[in-house]
Amino acid sequence: AASNDRSQFALRPRAQEAETTTDDAGRYAFSGIAAGHYLLGAQSRGYVMALYGSPRWPSERAIVPVALDDGQHLNRSDLVLRPGGSVRGRVVDEAGRPLRDARVIAVASQDAGPRLNPVLAAPTPTDDDGRYTLEGVPEGDFLVQAVPRPNPANPGAGSQEYLPTYYPSAADPSDAVGIVVKGVALTNGIDITVRRKPMYSIAGHVLTAGGEILEATEVVLESVPPGLRYHVGGPTLGEGAFSFDRLKPGRYILWAR
């Protein structure tokens, strides 16, 4: 098992997940796991996330699930964590004021192809001066995104809010500038300027063809082109009502099932 201090392991099947931490010797264990196919991974600060059976992830996208039968005991499921690179910068608004508690993530660039999880390093918040340091970033080409803390008040239609923004100041990943991380090197000066734009809401009711209210349903809103998907699970809000808030301008597909 990994030998660095307090690594975090996650066991994720289709419908549930479990997490644990290693002991002082790097050992871990899961118990009471139902039969099925699982993804087993580990991460620790400053190290690239490791996936069991996929030692070259994320440079190779093949993911090998762990298969468990009823009553089976799987031993020696060891993972090796390797040090990753670091990305450092600052998040500010249009006037150069720092944004505190913005969540910064490194994501796979669009030309990197599909991956199990586009987020490739543990998210980190900005400090009071808007500064952040991402650690454990794997080697390769990535985009860095800042997700500002939302306004706790529910905004009205057209209200101005800070949008999630890619480096250096792009709302859309196609307009972002990628960064290159090499080995364990520090990539500095990745400063992101976040801008305010109008945010909107979509609300309505789910009805049958005869006009009857459907309360137990799921409503899905997906951006066009695909990229962002929002869900309202069933039962929806009272009397078949649903709403999606803090939406940036654009085209969406809305459906219920």
Side-chain angles (χ1 to χ4, degrees):
S3 60
N4 59 86
D5 61 329
R6 302 300 178 193
S7 300
Q8 184 180 45
F9 278 73
L11 190 65
R12 291 190 172 121
R14 289 179 179 269
Q16 63 181 12
E17 65 179 55
E19 292 187 358
T20 189
T21 54
T22 56
D23 61 18
D24 292 339
R27 292 185 291 259
Y28 74 96
F30 291 99
S31 61
I33 303 300
H37 290 78
Y38 295 83
L39 300 177
L40 176 63
Q43 63 182 31
S44 186
R45 183 174 180 178
Y47 291 83
V48 177
M49 183 173 69
L51 294 176
Y52 181 75
S54 307
R56 293 183 177 85
W57 187 90
S59 60
E60 293 183 4
R61 296 189 296 274
I63 304 299
V64 179
V66 176
L68 289 177
D69 296 325
D70 286 327
Q72 180 182 2
H73 296 276
L74 186 63
N75 297 316
R76 302 299 301 174
S77 302
D78 297 344
L79 293 99
V80 177
L81 300 183
R82 65 184 190 276
S86 300
V87 177
R88 183 176 296 167
R90 196 164 178 252
V91 180
V92 299
D93 65 10
E94 307 99 319
R97 295 182 295 252
L99 289 187
R100 179 178 177 270
D101 284 340
R103 188 170 64 101
V104 182
I105 56 177
V107 300
S109 59
Q110 288 187 314
D111 58 0
R115 302 191 182 217
L116 169 70
N117 184 349
V119 179
L120 299 174
T124 186
T126 55
D127 62 16
D128 291 343
D129 197 35
R131 301 186 186 279
Y132 71 91
T133 300
L134 285 169
E135 300 180 3
V137 183
E139 189 171 55
D141 301 335
F142 306 105
L143 303 179
V144 178
Q145 184 187 41
V147 182
R149 181 176 57 180
N151 186 339
N154 189 27
S159 64
Q160 297 282 323
E161 287 220 351
Y162 291 119
L163 288 178
T165 305
Y166 295 90
Y167 170 77
S169 186
D172 191 285
S174 61
D175 298 324
V177 175
I179 67 168
V180 178
V181 175
K182 297 183 178 180
V184 297
L186 169 64
T187 304
N188 209 348
I190 307 303
D191 300 335
I192 301 174
T193 300
V194 177
R195 304 186 185 280
R196 289 181 184 269
K197 287 194 176 181
M199 303 292 278
Y200 295 89
S201 299
I202 294 177
H205 293 78
V206 181
L207 307 172
T208 68
E212 297 178 355
I213 292 174
L214 287 178
E215 294 189 6
T217 188
E218 180 185 26
V219 182
V220 180
L221 181 71
E222 184 172 1
S223 63
V224 179
L228 297 175
R229 177 175 287 191
Y230 308 89
H231 295 260
V232 174
T236 57
L237 302 178
E239 298 184 348
F242 66 88
S243 66
F244 299 93
D245 300 318
R246 293 188 171 90
L247 301 174
K248 67 179 182 179
R251 298 173 61 206
Y252 295 86
I253 296 174
L254 176 69
W255 76 90
R257 55 188 176 189

